[in-house]
Amino acid sequence: AMDSDGTGASYLDGSLEILFSLLTVPIPPEIQGLAFMAIANLIRSRPTEGMPKASGESKKSQAALRAWELLEICQFVPIKLLSQYSSYAAGTSATTSMSTFGRQQNHGTSDLPATCFPQSSEYMMIYQLEHVEAEVGTYPATEGFLFLLSTLVKYAGCPSNLGSQWRLRPGCAPYIEYVTDFVLPRATGMSKNVKTLPFASVADECRLINRAMEVVEAVLVRYVVPPMSEKKTFDEIKAQYSSNVNAARVELGLAPIIPEIFCSAEDIDEEDMTAAIQDFRNEMIYSQEDGGMNAAGQMLEASFGKKVPFPKTPGFSILTNILST
């Protein structure tokens, strides 16, 4: 089932739509996890691998980009509901920031709650983890979802315009924060305001943490630190990046693991680099707030009145957290 240009896009789009529609109905966690993994494996098959690309055309997997869009539509990470917990409120909002876990109260373990979000299926994957999978100590749906996230980052990066139709702060940050601010702290016991997730076995614990760390690794590998000079052209930046990778291969003896710790220069596009440069500017987004929505119908997340910080890329956020810890 090939598209008219021979890329197989129609086949993948149809398969993705079917699998995502399956995930929107109540199914057991095991089946849900398998469906997430099936989507990831469809993307990893990369039927467009050998197709020629025009100069300057994005080398990102179109199937992965479409999957990002479907993920946003289905709201498996309930971004609108989670906006009240936004870490960008800097602790000034009335609700608890997800990024403040471990910095507020020092309860005894027996006094801690087992969950930190309402018991409502509207919370999707958060509800699945806290109120369904935690009951038995195995996390097949969450593991499958994390595998899909790491696949999407590997094959399409973190699109900076994801959700721009309805979110004032677009991008993939909410999905990566789901991993770094929710799953990992709960799985490793680093969330001091809520009990550590129960596990049926050590294997279940290791599997969940490993899947979460795969997402973190994928984000860091795809992130390219921009040059200090903003006067360089995109082609010059790519050439410099290739030179740096080659130096790591030859001078540091990292040739055997280069593909694992660096993305290909061909996978970098101008949009990603523009977003990376934007990371180093402390700019704000201003909007007229109207019941949580701005004039364009975009959701305003928890913020300082009528302005929110310009979103940072997930790679920048993770790297700065690591370096500041």
Side-chain angles (χ1 to χ4, degrees), residues 240-261:
Q240 181 62 54
Y241 177 76
S242 297
S243 176
N244 293 339
V245 172
N246 189 58
R249 177 185 292 108
V250 177
E251 299 176 17
L252 300 180
L254 298 177
I257 59 172
I258 284 293
E260 299 176 24
I261 59 177

Side-chain angles (χ1 to χ4, degrees), residues 84-103:
Q84 61 187 305
Y85 304 96
S86 175
S87 57
Y88 298 98
T92 61
S93 63
T95 52
T96 302
S97 165
M98 290 170 61
S99 66
T100 59
F101 285 156
R103 305 183 203 168

Side-chain angles (χ1 to χ4, degrees), residues 288-304:
Q288 291 298 118
E289 187 175 1
D290 181 19
M293 306 288 284
N294 72 350
Q298 295 166 311
M299 181 187 69
L300 275 172
E301 300 175 50
S303 64
F304 302 111

Side-chain angles (χ1 to χ4, degrees), residues 170-251:
C172 299
Y175 298 92
I176 308 306
E177 287 174 358
Y178 161 80
V179 180
T180 59
D181 293 358
F182 177 67
V183 176
L184 276 174
R186 293 297 312 278
T188 59
M190 296 184 69
S191 290
K192 304 305 181 184
N193 291 7
V194 65
K195 290 181 179 178
T196 304
L197 289 173
F199 291 97
S201 68
V202 174
D204 291 300
E205 178 181 9
C206 292
R207 230 179 11 253
L208 181 63
I209 294 175
N210 181 65
R211 287 300 188 198
M213 291 305 298
E214 285 176 350
V215 179
V216 174
E217 178 188 27
V219 171
L220 290 176
V221 169
R222 289 284 306 209
Y223 179 64
V224 177
V225 179
M228 294 181 62
S229 173
E230 296 185 15
K231 296 181 180 180
K232 289 188 175 182
T233 66
F234 177 58
D235 288 336
E236 289 174 332
I237 293 174
K238 288 181 67 174
Q240 181 62 54
Y241 177 76
S242 297
S243 176
N244 293 339
V245 172
N246 189 58
R249 177 185 292 108
V250 177
E251 299 176 17

